[in-house]
Amino acid sequence: MRLFVTGTDTGVGKTEIAVGLLRVMVARGLTPFACKPWESGGRDADSDATRLRHAAGDWQRPAEVCLYRLKAPLAPAIAAEREGRRLSFSRVVRHVRGLEGDGVVEGAGGLYVPVDRTHDVIDLVRAVKVPVVLVARAGLGTINHTSLSLHALEGVELAAVVLVQGTKVADPSVPTNRRALERRFPNVPFVGPVPFEPNAKRRAALVERAVEPIIASR
Ligand SMILES: Nc1ncnc2c1ncn2[C@@H]1O[C@H](COP(=O)(O)OP(=O)(O)OP(=O)(O)O)[C@@H](O)[C@H]1O
Ligand SMILES: [Mg+2]
C-alpha cells in the first residue's frame, strides 16, 4: 500500500494527512516508509520530513526520507536556483520507485510546483504511478481548486480526496462543499471535512479517524 499525498496548494494539510496515514499503517502492524523528496524552508527539528519519519516509526535515515532540503521557503526549483544547486528529477524518480513495501510520499506544495527547470510535482506523480491522496481546503474556493487538480490528475489512480478545515474562520461553504464535489466527481472517494482542531493530540485523533477508511479500503 503506497500513497502519494499531494494538495491543491501549499499549507492545505498534506503533512497532517500524511502523518495520519502513516500512523494508521503502523497501528495495523505495517512498517511504512516515509518520503518527502523535496522540502523548502523551516528547521530540521519540525520539518515535514522529520514529522513523517517519526510517524513511520523512526527506522529510516533522514537522508533517505528527504533527498533535497532547501533553505528558502520557495518552490524547490526556485530555492535551488538561489543556492546554485541542481536538483535531479531522475534521482527522485529512481528513489521513489526503489522504495519497498508500504508507505507515504508527500509532494511539495501543489501539482504544478516546479521541482527543476522542466519538471513539476505532477511529473513525479505520473512517473511513479503511486495512487494519489489529494488534500484540499474544506472552505470557500475548494470547488474550483479541487476541480482543477482533479482535471490535472486525469488518468492517475486516486485513492481519495481529503477535505481539511485548517483555519478557524466561519465559512458557510464547509458543510456543502463535499456534496457539491461529489456530484461533480461521482467516482472519486471524498473524505472529511476534517474539522478545525487547534489541539495537536485531538487533531491527530480526528485525522486518523478520517483517513482510516482510505487504508481499510485498499
Ligand atoms: N484540522 C486542522 N485543524 C487545525 N489546524 C490544522 C488542521 N489541519 C492542518 N492544520 C494546520 O495547518 C497548517 C498547514 O498544515 P500542513 O503543514 O499539514 O500543510 P501542508 O499542505 O503539508 O503544507 P506544505 O505545503 O508546507 O507542506 C499546519 O500548521 C497544521 O497544523
Ligand atoms: Mg507539508
Side-chain angles (χ1 to χ4, degrees):
M1 185 174 4
R2 294 148 167 266
L3 296 166
F4 195 118
V5 177
T6 185
T8 53
D9 196 359
T10 185
V12 290
K14 292 185 300 297
T15 304
E16 295 283 333
I17 297 304
V19 162
L21 289 165
L22 286 166
R23 290 221 178 104
V24 171
M25 287 181 180
V26 169
R28 289 180 159 236
L30 304 175
T31 309
F33 62 77
C35 180
K36 171 89 185 176
W38 311 272
E39 182 157 5
S40 308
R43 297 168 306 163
D44 280 338
D46 53 10
S47 68
D48 287 3
T50 303
R51 291 190 59 202
L52 296 174
R53 185 163 53 85
H54 289 333
D58 254 330
W59 60 273
Q60 292 166 285
R61 285 185 298 114
E64 270 172 54
V65 177
C66 183
L67 301 187
Y68 293 110
R69 188 86 179 82
L70 299 145
K71 292 191 187 81
L74 296 166
I78 316 291
E81 218 169 278
R82 267 206 189 180
E83 291 178 38
R85 287 176 73 184
R86 191 187 151 268
L87 305 179
S88 166
F89 178 74
S90 57
R91 178 180 170 222
V92 174
V93 172
R94 275 198 309 278
H95 178 80
V96 176
R97 282 190 183 145
L99 291 166
E100 282 168 24
D102 313 290
V104 175
V105 181
E106 181 188 341
L111 289 164
Y112 283 94
V113 165
V115 293
D116 74 6
R117 285 206 183 149
T118 52
H119 296 96
D120 296 335
V121 170
I122 191 158
D123 297 310
L124 178 65
V125 172
R126 290 197 180 277
V128 298
K129 297 188 171 65
V130 173
V132 164
V133 173
L134 176 70
V135 182
R137 291 199 174 90
L140 193 64
T142 206
I143 295 178
N144 178 50
H145 290 145
T146 305
S147 300
L148 287 168
S149 296
L150 289 175
H151 284 304
L153 286 166
E154 255 158 30
V156 172
E157 187 185 343
L158 261 183
V161 175
V162 185
L163 300 175
V164 177
Q165 197 177 358
T167 54
K168 202 181 168 192
V169 290
D171 180 337
S173 79
V174 173
T176 58
N177 281 330
R178 175 171 167 174
R179 190 72 203 97
L181 282 162
E182 280 172 336
R183 272 200 298 271
R184 196 178 273 212
F185 299 98
N187 299 322
V188 172
F190 284 87
V191 170
V194 178
F196 176 79
E197 173 52 68
N199 177 279
K201 216 169 164 184
R202 282 200 290 270
R203 183 167 67 246
L206 284 173
V207 168
E208 281 167 54
R209 203 176 315 145
V211 302
E212 166 88 47
I214 302 174
I215 306 282
S217 69
R218 300 196 75 78

